[in-house]
Amino acid sequence: MSGTTTAGTRRSSGVPRQRSRYGLSVRGGGAGASRWTVLVVLCVSLLLVAVDATVLHIAVPAVSEDLRPSAIQLLWIVDVYPLVCASLLILFGTLGDRVGRRRVLLLGYALFGVASALAALATAPEVLIAARALLGVGGAMIMPATLSILRQVFPDRQERALAIGVWSAVAAVGAAVGPLVGGLLLEHFWWGSVFLINIPLMALVLPAGWWLLPESTGDRNGPWDVVGALMAAFGLFGVVYGVKRIGGAEALSLTTLVPGALGAALLILFVRRQRRRTHPLVDLTMFARPAFGTSVGCIVLAMLALVGLELIAAQYLQLVLGLTPLETGLRLLPLTLAAMAAGLAGSHVLRRFGPRAMVSAGFVLTAMAVLSLTVMGDRDRPGVLVVGFVLLGFGLETTLFGAYESMLSESPAESAGGSAAIGETSYQLGAGIGIALLGSVMNAAYAPGVADVPGVPSAAGRAASHSLGEAYQVADRVGGPAGAALRGAARESFVYGMHVALAVSAALLLLGALAALRLPRGTESGTP
């Protein structure tokens, strides 16, 4: 770890150096409670980013009514934030290794606050799209920086495992409370309030981060590969954009295939470029380590299941069971609480059983939870849902915790930003692939059931096959017995499609359990 640099502090040989105003220069982290204070600041940062990723979903109807965006504009309003964020993670993660992780993080704070104000006060769809894109840039600065600073501040693996558990629990809370916070705000304020909540929090965390967070950099040998960083950014943009569109109605259109193919080509060229460089932007030799490469793959598979299942669950609860968005958020709370518990208990479980058993068991438990949800039909069974969501939350968080901990422990401290960016990129790619894959599987099973309902014109049947929500609208227009028959057929087909998607998800999770067998048995291996 001799490549980590700082100023103003002597260091012991081989120990990453840090600087801060509170003595965080001791062995690459804080002494006593100081590093736990740093963890609080990092967790607040992550909470803001995680909440912002989901808080807008519930405000979409209000945004549509006020700004009157076109269908394409509305799609960009929702998707541009995760799309930009995923594209820039490697760029800003590796930039933090070069110029200072704390510096990039603080700049991300400031940009996030400014973009939140622009989004809240937007009076046109184009302004809101631009503001959401800026939020994505800020999020890409914040997310890898929090993990890389955590990696530096907690050099001891056991303490780091506990810190990652708290960090991952906060991430689970943020993603889940976004719709709840949005629902509560929209009951009393206009849609822009879902963005304004970021500003006072950023006003607190920016000075706190400036005073409390340590600064660190990685190995500065050689120039920063600007061309490689841009290749990674545009390549990831194209791939993530293509993956998101595959789950839509134009999966095989040129606007889907061309960006995806160009993005994949840029990423292939990026990999070849990094292998040839003396000082690569990303150390691809890390993937030769079984623990690192396997951990990244496990993160993709776990997120693939989680996001796809959350999307299916939200539609099922609202469109089949008829719950409101706020009631839907409350029904998903058991998943969040279980994920929090798994994150907080993760360090003990890891120490007791090791990464291999922990991640494999998490995948198996999640697969069991997914299969248990196949008993759900068109009737509400709250008890079954609670049990299924608790098992799902605990299993997935156990998996993600073990995978993230193994990935960070296998990565050198001097390239912590790049490693964190790879982990967060796999997180975002898994989420995008999950929506596209499980959404496509579900639609393929759903569509035939509404295509030929007696008394419903063929054009109306084709429109109803796009989604359950659209089927309900078509049924209302058709009216009479034919409309009622279409509504019933759509509900039955949706439930059938949900069961097929759950079965596919369970199979992928079991594949993840097998892949996790390549992880080390204990925690003694890995970079200290």
Side-chain angles (χ1 to χ4, degrees):
M1 276 50 110
S2 58
T4 305
T5 61
T6 186
T9 304
R10 281 183 76 90
R11 70 177 182 121
S12 301
S13 177
V15 177
R17 295 178 294 183
Q18 316 277 341
R19 74 168 181 269
S20 84
R21 294 167 173 78
Y22 290 94
L24 291 176
S25 59
V26 180
R27 294 191 61 81
S34 298
R35 57 187 175 277
W36 300 105
T37 305
V38 170
L39 179 62
V40 171
V41 177
L42 296 178
C43 285
V44 172
S45 312
L46 180 66
L47 183 65
L48 288 170
V49 176
V51 168
D52 215 72
T54 58
V55 71
L56 181 64
H57 293 174
I58 203 166
V60 165
V63 171
S64 299
E65 183 177 353
D66 186 24
L67 300 184
R68 302 291 180 182
S70 66
I72 296 298
Q73 287 175 328
L74 185 61
L75 183 66
W76 276 105
I77 288 171
V78 174
D79 281 348
V80 72
Y81 173 82
L83 183 60
V84 170
C85 186
S87 304
L88 298 178
L89 286 168
I90 289 179
L91 189 153
F92 286 120
T94 56
L95 182 63
D97 287 340
R98 299 288 302 183
V99 305
R101 293 142 187 163
R102 170 177 167 268
R103 183 177 300 171
V104 171
L105 180 62
L106 295 180
L107 182 59
Y109 287 163
L111 185 58
F112 209 83
V114 171
S116 296
L118 289 175
L121 301 177
T123 57
E126 296 82 1
V127 177
L128 184 54
I129 292 170
R132 289 276 290 170
L134 284 178
L135 281 169
V137 176
M141 293 179 173
I142 293 171
M143 290 173 69
T146 59
L147 261 184
S148 57
I149 292 175
L150 186 151
R151 172 69 177 83
Q152 294 286 344
V153 172
F154 292 91
D156 178 76
R157 183 163 186 174
Q158 290 189 4
E159 283 193 344
R160 184 166 66 245
L162 179 58
I164 292 173
V166 175
W167 181 90
S168 59
V170 169
V173 171
V177 302
L180 288 177
V181 170
L184 291 173
L185 288 172
L186 288 173
E187 286 186 1
H188 304 285
F189 306 103
W190 95 113
W191 61 264
S193 61
V194 303
F195 297 108
L196 282 182
I197 58 172
N198 295 333
I199 297 176
L201 291 173
M202 281 299 173
L204 292 174
V205 79
L206 184 58
W210 189 73
W211 281 100
L212 293 172
L213 294 179
E215 182 62 285
S216 65
T217 60
D219 190 348
R220 290 183 174 180
N221 293 330
W224 185 57
D225 185 8
V226 179
V227 174
L230 293 175
M231 290 173 67
F234 285 106
L236 285 169
F237 186 93
V239 169
V240 176
Y241 178 77
V243 165
K244 282 181 172 293
R245 286 186 59 88
I246 285 173
E250 299 179 355
L252 299 179
S253 68
L254 289 177
T255 53
T256 299
L257 297 177
V258 171
L262 289 176
L266 280 173
L267 290 181
I268 292 171
L269 292 174
F270 169 76
V271 170
R272 295 182 60 184
R273 179 182 177 86
Q274 298 309 298
R275 286 177 173 172
R276 292 197 304 264
R277 290 182 66 85
T278 305
H279 304 286
L281 189 70
V282 175
D283 184 7
L284 297 177
T285 61
M286 290 188 296
F287 284 94
R289 304 178 183 182
F292 187 89
T294 301
S295 297
V296 170
C298 288
I299 292 171
V300 171
L301 283 172
M303 286 308 302
L304 189 154
L306 174 61
V307 176
L309 290 174
E310 281 188 341
L311 178 65
I312 292 171
Q315 293 182 71
Y316 171 76
L317 292 171
Q318 293 183 72
L319 298 177
V320 176
L321 300 186
L323 303 182
T324 66
L326 189 57
E327 290 172 334
T328 298
L330 292 173
R331 285 292 188 93
L332 292 171
L333 270 182
L335 188 154
T336 306
L337 296 176
M340 289 175 58
L344 296 176
S347 61
H348 174 74
V349 176
L350 181 72
R351 190 166 55 251
R352 175 69 178 83
F353 298 102
R356 179 185 301 181
M358 183 179 188
V359 177
S360 294
F363 271 123
V364 171
L365 181 60
T366 307
M368 292 172 57
V370 167
L371 290 175
S372 73
L373 293 176
T374 58
V375 304
M376 299 302 300
D378 57 2
R379 289 187 302 163
D380 191 5
R381 296 182 179 179
V384 175
L385 274 178
V386 168
V387 173
F389 284 161
V390 166
L391 293 176
L392 187 63
F394 197 89
L396 276 171
E397 184 60 27
T398 297
T399 301
L400 286 171
F401 175 95
Y404 266 111
E405 199 282 335
S406 294
M407 183 197 71
L408 282 182
S409 295
E410 283 293 318
S411 62
E414 61 266 22
S415 59
S419 300
I422 290 172
E424 293 299 329
T425 302
S426 63
Y427 184 102
Q428 296 288 344
L429 282 176
I433 294 171
I435 292 175
L437 176 62
L438 295 185
S440 298
V441 168
M442 186 170 176
N443 191 65
Y446 159 79
V450 296
D452 297 309
V453 178
V456 177
S458 58
R462 286 194 298 273
S465 67
H466 294 157
S467 69
L468 181 58
E470 195 163 347
Y472 284 171
Q473 295 176 5
V474 172
D476 291 339
R477 290 198 299 268
V478 172
L486 177 60
R487 178 177 288 268
R491 282 166 58 93
E492 292 179 5
S493 296
F494 182 90
V495 171
Y496 171 71
M498 179 181 71
H499 290 168
V500 173
L502 289 174
V504 171
S505 178
L508 292 171
L509 290 166
L510 292 176
L511 178 64
L514 293 175
L517 296 177
R518 298 183 71 237
L519 292 172
R521 292 182 182 273
T523 58
E524 65 280 354
S525 64
T527 304

